[in-house]
């Protein structure tokens, strides 16, 4: 049985999820959310009949704080953490990651993300592409799916793929949008990762932002279109000489208007912004185009 656990990030429903899978060897957790929501997650686990210490296996899609920020807290209680090889050094020594995040978020850092501490090397298991992790009668297949991040893994369990961020953000039946933060957005790799997941022919996707998708082909077709739309919007303005500071308010309005045009309420737009801040996508896509154009 799979449980979608809403972490109630910043008081918003359907902003960040993690997934609890019951196995013969106890509960497996896919994603942990940020440490700022760890207390809420602990209470939610109790409502399902589990304590934090019962979670002995944690599978991460990638190391961004909204997905992996509380992994250390589960490791402290004995959990083993499974992740992409390129993400492991940051979990062993998170100081650089946290310093970088603090420069971005400044005095909002603790409110948004909480703490992050080291995970001992012996509790980290690096997962190869298409490696099978067998836990309690369940086989989890790690799919290396770069594009949003070089160290991204989508996890396949039977006919379901837990997509991290590679399948975008879709909240409460609204449109799908792509999270494009720096430093390593790569549109071509992202599109290839979508193709890889489609080749696995899943019947369902489980999005960290947020929840179950059953119309898989349609979902990815929409994601391709909006990913290319956002990328081209940034490219045209960057090549015209517009700065990031000039672009950011215009892009925020552009993306909010896209959501409004598809029936998303003002509260819903706030939910999308909590899950996927528009200013981060400006920074990430500018960095992508600067690399691509050799600047």
């Amino acid at each position: 049985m799979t449980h979608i656990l809403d972490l109630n990030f910043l008081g918003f429903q359907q902003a960040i999820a993690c997934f609890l899978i019951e196995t013969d060897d106890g509960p497996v957790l896919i994603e942990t959310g940020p440490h700022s929501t760890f207390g809420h997650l602990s209470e939610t686990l109790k409502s399902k009949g589990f304590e934090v210490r019962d979670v002995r296996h944690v599978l991460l899609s990638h190391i961004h704080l909204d997905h992996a920020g509380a992994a250390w807290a589960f490791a402290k209680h004995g959990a083993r953490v499974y992740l992409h090889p390129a993400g492991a050094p940051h979990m062993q020594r998170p100081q650089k990651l946290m310093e970088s995040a603090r420069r971005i978020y400044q005095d909002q850092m603790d409110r948004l993300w909480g703490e992050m501490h080291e995970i001992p090397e012996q509790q980290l298991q690096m997962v190869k592409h298409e490696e099978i992790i067998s836990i309690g009668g369940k086989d989890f297949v790690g799919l290396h799916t770069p594009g949003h991040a070089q160290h991204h893994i989508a996890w396949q369990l039977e006919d379901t793929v837990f997509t991290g961020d590679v399948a975008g953000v879709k909240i409460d039946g609204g449109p799908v949008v792509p999270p494009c933060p720096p430093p390593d957005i790569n549109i071509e790799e992202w599109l290839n990762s979508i193709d890889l997941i489609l080749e696995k022919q899943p019947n369902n996707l489980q999005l960290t932002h947020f929840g179950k998708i059953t119309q898989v082909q349609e979902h990815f077709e929409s994601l391709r279109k909006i990913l290319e739309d956002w990328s081209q919007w940034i490219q045209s303005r960057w090549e015209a000489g517009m700065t990031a500071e000039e672009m950011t308010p215009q892009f925020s309005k552009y993306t909010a208007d896209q959501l409004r045009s598809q029936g998303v309420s003002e509260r819903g737009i706030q939910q999308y912004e909590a899950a996927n801040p528009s200013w981060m996508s400006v920074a990430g896509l500018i960095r992508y185009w600067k690399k691509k154009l050799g600047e």
Side-chain angles (χ1 to χ4, degrees), residues 180 234 244 247-248 251-252 278-287:
C180 298
I234 296 293
M247 262 188 267
T248 297
F251 185 73
S252 295
S278 54
W279 63 271
M280 292 289 282
S281 289
V282 173
L285 288 168
I286 286 177
R287 188 180 178 104

Side-chain angles (χ1 to χ4, degrees), residues 202-205 212-221:
N203 290 328
N204 307 286
L205 308 175
K212 187 175 182 179
I213 302 294
T214 56
Q215 302 298 319
V216 174
Q217 187 77 38
E218 178 183 297
H219 177 87
F220 277 127
E221 287 176 3

Side-chain angles (χ1 to χ4, degrees), residues 27-232:
V28 171
L29 199 64
I30 299 180
E31 314 281 52
T32 69
H35 182 251
S36 60
T37 62
F38 181 69
H40 181 83
L41 174 54
S42 300
E43 291 304 313
T44 305
L45 286 172
K46 287 181 181 178
S47 74
K48 304 299 182 184
F50 300 107
E51 300 288 339
V52 169
R53 64 177 177 271
D54 296 327
V55 179
R56 297 171 51 226
H57 304 279
V58 172
L59 281 58
L60 300 178
S61 67
H62 59 301
I63 64 164
H64 291 171
L65 296 176
D66 55 333
H67 293 255
W72 69 270
F74 287 92
K76 185 177 179 181
H77 286 83
R80 188 164 191 78
V81 178
Y82 303 79
L83 74 173
H84 192 286
H90 298 283
M91 293 289 98
Q92 286 180 250
R93 296 175 295 278
Q95 292 83 359
K96 184 177 179 180
L97 176 66
M98 293 298 281
E99 287 169 5
S100 176
R102 193 169 292 278
R103 285 195 297 271
I104 295 171
Y105 295 103
Q106 299 181 18
D107 61 352
Q108 297 299 306
M109 182 70 183
D110 293 337
R111 181 181 73 91
L112 290 170
W113 310 121
E115 302 176 11
M116 189 177 234
H117 297 292
E118 297 177 357
I119 298 176
E121 181 179 4
Q122 62 270 23
Q123 288 179 256
L124 294 171
Q125 182 163 330
M126 294 178 283
V127 178
K128 300 175 183 177
H129 177 52
E130 297 192 328
E131 181 175 352
I132 298 172
I133 304 298
S134 297
I135 303 170
K138 303 287 187 182
D139 289 337
F140 299 88
V141 184
L143 304 174
H144 286 199
T145 42
H148 170 82
Q150 287 295 317
H151 58 278
H152 195 285
I153 290 181
W155 293 97
Q156 184 173 13
L157 175 63
E158 299 169 350
D159 66 348
T160 297
V161 175
F162 298 84
T163 59
D165 276 342
V166 73
V169 173
K170 183 179 175 69
I171 295 173
D172 196 23
V176 60
V177 297
C180 298
D184 51 4
I185 293 298
N186 186 298
I187 304 300
E188 292 79 12
E189 290 185 347
W190 199 328
L191 296 175
N192 289 338
S193 292
I194 289 173
D195 288 339
L196 172 66
I197 293 174
L198 287 171
E199 287 172 6
K200 303 300 179 181
Q201 299 183 326
N203 290 328
N204 307 286
L205 308 175
Q206 290 282 9
L207 278 58
T208 306
H209 316 285
F210 185 97
K212 187 175 182 179
I213 302 294
T214 56
Q215 302 298 319
V216 174
Q217 187 77 38
E218 178 183 297
H219 177 87
F220 277 127
E221 287 176 3
S222 297
L223 178 59
R224 286 180 192 275
K225 290 177 183 177
I226 195 69
L227 182 58
E228 291 171 351
D229 175 76
W230 284 16
S231 177
Q232 290 167 8

